[in-house]
Amino acid sequence: MVVGLLGRGGHEDDFVAYYAAHANQLRNTAYLLCGDWHLAEDLTQTAFTKLYQAWHRIERHDVLDQYTRRVLVRAFLDERRRPWRREHATVPGSADLDAVAPDQGRPDERVVLRTALARLPKRRRAVLVLRFWADLSVEQVADILGCSAGTVKSQTADGLADLRQVLGGALDDLKRPLGGRQ
């Protein structure tokens, strides 16, 4: 394996630098998509493995972030299609469930938001994460997901509506205008 890497010239230095600069952000994006740090690590590794395999063929390094996000989202969507990954929900009250954590006041807003995000359909979740976490344009998200800009817009609107419904009044204080004005 080392001999194969050494034979590629300076490409691996560029790849290693790109990985070092972008791995954490991509892993955070993967976590927002799947809600599981272990799976997020797997998805990130899959994305970078596929990127490395194509690295010597990539001519436009100015669009690497978009390409890498596309690979990540596709890996996320493909992961759920694999039959060996299908999980079955445990019925409430089952002995398989852990004990309920004691209520320690108001939960952290990030936890509430991640939990609500995890309850959304995966395509809408992907659109919301790419639009609002990765701060991509409608056109960039459409390109990554392989759909039209109109589909991204409708998925964004539906996803936000679903998110509001799932959240209920849990994060009402986040609805106030920026700057503390009422």
Side-chain angles (χ1 to χ4, degrees), residues 10-182:
H11 291 300
E12 58 276 343
D13 292 337
D14 293 339
F15 177 80
V16 169
Y18 182 80
Y19 175 84
H22 296 88
N24 286 334
Q25 179 66 30
L26 196 66
R27 185 175 41 254
N28 289 338
T29 301
Y31 176 74
L32 287 174
L33 289 170
C34 69
D36 177 358
W37 281 112
H38 299 290
L39 182 55
E41 287 283 343
D42 291 346
L43 292 171
T44 304
Q45 188 66 34
T46 298
F48 277 111
T49 299
K50 290 181 184 228
L51 178 63
Y52 182 77
Q53 290 171 340
W55 191 260
H56 66 283
R57 295 188 315 264
I58 297 174
E59 294 176 8
R60 293 188 54 204
H61 286 243
D62 58 322
V63 294
L64 276 176
D65 293 344
Q66 187 173 355
Y67 176 78
T68 307
R69 281 191 205 101
R70 178 186 305 158
V71 172
L72 176 72
V73 170
R74 289 184 179 169
F76 164 68
L77 295 173
D78 289 345
E79 183 69 22
R80 295 295 171 193
R81 294 181 188 138
R82 296 183 182 158
W84 57 270
R85 289 288 296 173
R86 292 190 184 128
E87 299 174 3
H88 301 283
T90 306
V91 294
S94 171
D96 295 331
L97 297 175
D98 292 337
V100 176
D103 185 20
Q104 298 178 355
R106 185 168 183 218
D108 187 24
E109 290 173 348
R110 291 176 296 168
V111 174
V112 171
L113 189 56
R114 280 195 311 254
T115 302
L117 196 58
R119 293 182 60 193
L120 298 181
K122 61 184 175 186
R123 190 106 169 147
R124 289 181 185 169
R125 184 180 341 148
V127 168
L128 292 179
V129 168
L130 291 173
R131 286 283 290 129
F132 301 110
W133 171 258
D135 198 27
L136 298 179
S137 69
V138 170
E139 292 76 21
Q140 289 171 318
V141 174
D143 188 45
I144 289 171
L145 295 177
C147 62
S148 70
T151 300
V152 171
K153 291 176 184 178
S154 66
Q155 289 290 308
T156 301
D158 293 344
L160 288 173
D162 290 349
L163 194 58
R164 285 185 196 102
Q165 183 179 8
V166 169
L167 285 171
L171 298 178
D172 281 340
D173 61 324
L174 294 179
K175 293 179 184 176
R176 68 176 185 260
L178 293 176
R181 294 183 300 257
Q182 292 294 337

